[in-house]
Amino acid sequence: MSQALLAGLARTTRPEVAVRRFLALDAVVTGANGIAYVAASGPLGELLGVDAGLLFELGLFLTAFAAGVAWLASRRRPAALAVKAVVDANVVWAVLSVVALVAWLEPTAAGLLWTPMQAAAVAGFAGLQWAALRAASR
């Protein structure tokens, strides 16, 4: 990803700030998703064609993950190893989402649309975080 594109997306020319901003965006979106899964696992499960218990557990995980990512984003200089762990977790989540869709989920039409869309968003966070981290390490 070009330095200019990265700076435009993060609205800063400072790569270390871009890392924090992309982590913070990830934390907000992931946290909102997690809270929605916890608070409305039944209705969302019906809408998406996913077991409500699974959604509830995923929501708890996502909420905790988001809290950790938010804490990392709040650091003046997030540790590179921790940022890499977030990137790796996001990549794993995106891949497992698609695998689950193909291998064992039996989603509704909404779930068939939602699952790859959220996987793409998570993969996008991973790409932005990785690019900003690489730029910051230069």
Side-chain angles (χ1 to χ4, degrees), residues 49-132:
V50 177
D51 179 69
L54 175 61
L55 273 186
F56 183 82
E57 291 171 2
L58 288 173
L60 292 175
F61 170 78
L62 290 174
T63 303
F65 181 76
V69 175
W71 178 85
L72 187 59
S74 74
R75 306 294 88 187
R76 188 161 179 62
R77 289 191 176 265
L81 190 58
V83 175
K84 287 177 187 175
V86 170
V87 170
D88 289 347
N90 281 338
V91 168
V92 168
W93 179 273
V95 169
L96 286 178
S97 294
V98 174
V99 168
L101 186 63
V102 172
W104 68 82
L105 292 179
E106 295 178 12
T108 61
L112 199 55
L113 182 64
W114 172 253
T115 304
M117 282 179 38
Q118 64 82 29
V122 171
F125 288 142
L128 290 170
Q129 292 158 350
W130 178 251

Side-chain angles (χ1 to χ4, degrees), residues 7-80:
L9 290 171
R11 298 186 181 266
T12 181
T13 57
R14 297 176 42 210
E16 64 279 358
V17 174
V19 170
R20 293 176 61 214
R21 287 184 180 171
F22 292 138
L23 287 169
L25 178 61
D26 186 355
V28 168
V29 172
T30 301
N33 198 31
I35 290 168
Y37 284 179
V38 168
S41 57
L44 285 175
E46 286 182 35
L47 175 68
L48 301 174
V50 177
D51 179 69
L54 175 61
L55 273 186
F56 183 82
E57 291 171 2
L58 288 173
L60 292 175
F61 170 78
L62 290 174
T63 303
F65 181 76
V69 175
W71 178 85
L72 187 59
S74 74
R75 306 294 88 187
R76 188 161 179 62
R77 289 191 176 265

